Amino acid sequence: MSGSSLRWLSIGTIFLAISYQYYLKDFLFSSLGLFRTLQPLSAFPYTCRPLRHESLEGCEDIWLDEGGRELYATCASLEFRTQWSPTMDKLNISSRGLAGSHVSVLELDSVVGDEFKLRLLEPKGYAEPAGDTILAVFGFKGEVVGASKLRFWMVNHRYPVEATRDGVTLLDPSRVGADSTVEVFEVDRGRSEMVHVKTFSSGAIETPNNLALTGDGGFLVTNDHSAKVGLRRHLDPFIGGGSVSYCNASSCHPASSSGWNYANGIVRGHDGLYYVASSFRDKIRVMQLQDDLSMSELHVIKLGMPVDNLSIDRNGDIFAAGFPKLLKVLDAFKKPYETRSPSTIWRIRRVGLGLDYEVVKILEDREAKILRGLTIAVHDVKTGRLFLGGVVAPWITVCEPR
């Protein structure tokens, strides 16, 4: 072998070694969960059961109204989720013929046997540009705005249209992506309808995944990719991409555009900081919203696996739904009923006055017999119950402390 060949071989070896140390190692073992050992559900102090109902399929996100003692979930049939999930490049226009998503409500203090009383919210005053009333809601947050009134902020992926002389024409979503928005609805506690209030549409809400309210009438929304469609989007897992944007009643703008790999769940902590999960990396970034409405990173919490949505309970503890076997999640979008995608639930608690956190695994289901493809975990402090949902999970799971 010539000296030149040896030199290039050495350079190649060094490059591969560096790539393994700084990227491939993380990708294989943290992101994909290669050789990861999981625990059985029986190892944890909970008794879990599925809530089987056609209206409790595909519940991507959940919010608990503590005062009203009701649980709100954004759900859809698994047929719809597997055909129309723009965050996962599922852009089948024929899904427009399906029912779309809905909000299911569980009345937590009204239990008959093992079942909670269930009702659906009917949207009022909402229509998308194509003229349909179909919602495709994924992440959402709720807030209490009066003695008996709630306000919902929802990430909605509409079908793309183009204005023409004769009205509007549907576009091919595989070429242009979804027409994504944040929709605002108001709900009176105990009622069975939600009234549309406002639509946020902006170039800064390009590939939205979830959002957090900022307390000033605005919100922060995660964009999980750098583009709606195209080559750059598919390179995001390897070279990074996505952002977090700030919006209020007058405008939207990017608040943070670097360091992201599939920005996903986001919550505002009781400490006023924002916790943002990555569904491709094993970290939750602790961020602060600055006076100029940009964001800065203060700390990183490592969980050792990708994370989807986050929730925060009355005590200020954060709960994270983790993907211990990421490839199984991708399989579940192809065969949601047959695929057993294991899940891990984490509790994150800030301790002391600094940026120190106690991270505890509180649930895991190695066989995915009950906890299957979870994307959200919500803790009810009053009862100690955990409510668990997933975008392609066939049911909501409730876990009672033993």
Side-chain angles (χ1 to χ4, degrees), residues 36-40 43-46 303 305 319-320 324 343-348 358-366 386:
R36 192 193 308 276
T37 301
L38 306 183
Q39 293 177 270
F44 300 89
Y46 289 89
L303 295 184
M305 66 178 61
F319 291 79
S343 301
T344 305
I345 305 301
W346 301 89
R347 188 195 69 205
I348 302 161
E358 175 190 79
V359 178
V360 178
K361 183 197 294 185
I362 60 170
L363 276 176
E364 194 166 72
D365 188 356
R366 181 175 61 202
L386 291 166

Side-chain angles (χ1 to χ4, degrees), residues 119-352:
R119 71 179 190 276
L120 304 186
L121 296 185
E122 182 182 356
K124 297 288 188 179
Y126 169 80
E128 62 173 13
D132 294 327
T133 57
I134 298 172
L135 285 165
V137 177
F138 287 74
F140 91 111
K141 293 292 188 296
E143 63 174 334
V144 180
V145 294
S148 61
K149 190 175 290 292
L150 308 174
R151 184 174 294 143
F152 292 161
W153 304 71
M154 299 177 159
V155 170
N156 186 36
H157 295 294
R158 307 185 302 190
Y159 296 96
V161 298
E162 180 181 50
T164 67
R165 181 183 303 175
D166 300 321
V168 294
T169 301
L170 279 169
L171 300 177
D172 181 357
S174 67
R175 296 177 62 87
V176 300
D179 177 19
S180 300
T181 60
V182 170
E183 306 291 345
V184 184
F185 289 84
E186 289 189 347
V187 183
D188 289 323
R189 280 176 170 155
R191 299 292 296 275
S192 295
E193 63 182 37
M194 58 181 191
V195 179
H196 187 246
V197 175
K198 185 176 177 63
T199 295
F200 288 85
S201 179
S202 167
I205 307 175
E206 186 175 22
T207 57
N209 191 294
N210 215 314
L211 53 83
L213 306 181
T214 55
D216 59 357
F219 60 88
L220 290 163
V221 58
T222 57
N223 289 298
D224 53 42
H225 285 82
S226 60
K228 291 179 182 290
V229 293
L231 177 61
R232 179 63 180 87
R233 176 184 176 92
H234 295 299
L235 292 176
D236 283 352
F238 309 102
I239 62 177
S243 63
V244 178
S245 293
Y246 172 84
C247 296
N248 58 26
S250 59
S251 66
C252 291
H253 69 266
S256 175
S257 301
S258 62
W260 298 106
N261 285 91
Y262 205 115
N264 198 316
I266 178 173
V267 293
R268 184 173 187 256
H270 288 189
D271 52 13
L273 302 179
Y274 295 88
Y275 296 79
V276 191
S278 168
S279 285
F280 201 77
R281 295 295 187 211
D282 65 332
K283 63 184 181 181
I284 295 173
R285 297 177 71 182
V286 183
M287 310 287 288
Q288 186 174 51
L289 187 62
Q290 306 296 316
D291 291 341
D292 64 357
L293 300 179
S294 66
M295 301 186 80
S296 63
E297 181 184 290
L298 302 182
H299 187 67
V300 173
I301 301 169
K302 302 282 281 187
L303 295 184
M305 66 178 61
V307 171
D308 200 288
N309 288 324
L310 306 174
S311 71
I312 188 164
D313 72 6
R314 190 174 67 197
N315 295 332
D317 291 341
I318 294 170
F319 291 79
F323 298 144
K325 298 290 184 180
L326 186 59
L327 294 180
K328 281 288 188 179
V329 178
L330 304 182
D331 290 341
F333 272 89
K334 301 172 185 174
K335 296 182 177 180
Y337 292 106
E338 295 88 348
T339 302
R340 292 194 172 189
S341 173
S343 301
T344 305
I345 305 301
W346 301 89
R347 188 195 69 205
I348 302 161
R349 176 179 293 168
R350 187 171 177 179
V351 294

Side-chain angles (χ1 to χ4, degrees), residues 87-109:
T87 60
M88 297 296 293
D89 298 317
K90 303 299 182 182
L91 297 166
N92 187 343
I93 194 68
S94 66
S95 62
R96 191 164 174 257
L98 302 174
S101 62
H102 56 268
V103 177
S104 295
V105 188
L106 294 178
E107 300 179 18
L108 300 188
D109 295 338

Side-chain angles (χ1 to χ4, degrees), residues 41-71:
L41 186 57
S42 60
F44 300 89
Y46 289 89
T47 300
C48 300
R49 70 181 191 275
L51 302 178
R52 299 177 188 270
H53 192 283
E54 63 181 5
S55 296
L56 298 178
E57 286 188 354
C59 299
E60 152 76 5
D61 209 353
I62 297 173
W63 179 73
L64 170 62
D65 174 21
E66 294 268 7
R69 300 298 302 150
E70 292 188 325
L71 195 81

